[in-house]
Amino acid sequence: MIDQQVSYDIYTPFGPKILKSSVPQLIVDAINKEADGILTDEKKRKDHDYSHNLAGNIKYECALPLHKVPSLELLINKLSSEYVTKTVKDYVDMEKTAMSYSAWVVSQYAGDFNPIHIHDANLSGVCFLKLPPGYDEEYRREDHHPSIGCLEFLGSVPNHFASHSYLVKPELGDIYVFPSWLSHQVYPFRSKGERRSMSFNIHLRSKDGQPKKGVDV
């Protein structure tokens, strides 16, 4: 007969980690100001066009010079360092590691979407900057598995006893950092107005300039 007092542990040894944080409103405003200067100027929008590097069916995708928002670069550096330290600290010495960044603004309107894709980097991230005025009401009206305008991470295949996806409803100022190989997608919406986000890639290198080898984050 099995004793009623059964001791056990449940482990989660597999699967990628996703970091969630928030961006202060002052930084959100600074990013939007820089993005507005690009998106509302036809020449700048053409000069900064980033769509050829991306998978999305999106109205505007423009490179964002991170050095124009120094506080944002510092925040990304801090969050990325925290992510690496908490996940692969036994393999990566951050004191000997340099990070380089690329960032772009995704300006999405009704019907736009981003199909399942991955990024070519070590870490990637997204920050939500604007939502259409009617977005929350549209989301509330979805009566079955609401997903309009959402970001979805796909970490596995459907299976018993384990989640295979993680659905994120965009909230202004929320920022996520995740492994660049993690598949993800963005669903379309119907509301009038702009859904704006900033995406970024992070490359880890040894301070001697060599790419980090064996980094699985």
Side-chain angles (χ1 to χ4, degrees), residues 21-31 71 75 127 173-175:
S21 186
S22 58
V23 176
Q25 188 60 45
L26 283 173
I27 299 182
V28 171
D29 292 342
I31 303 170
S71 51
L75 178 62
C127 175
D174 282 356
I175 185 171

Side-chain angles (χ1 to χ4, degrees), residues 109-120:
Y109 291 84
D112 289 353
F113 64 92
N114 231 325
I116 297 174
H117 64 286
I118 62 174
H119 293 194
D120 182 16

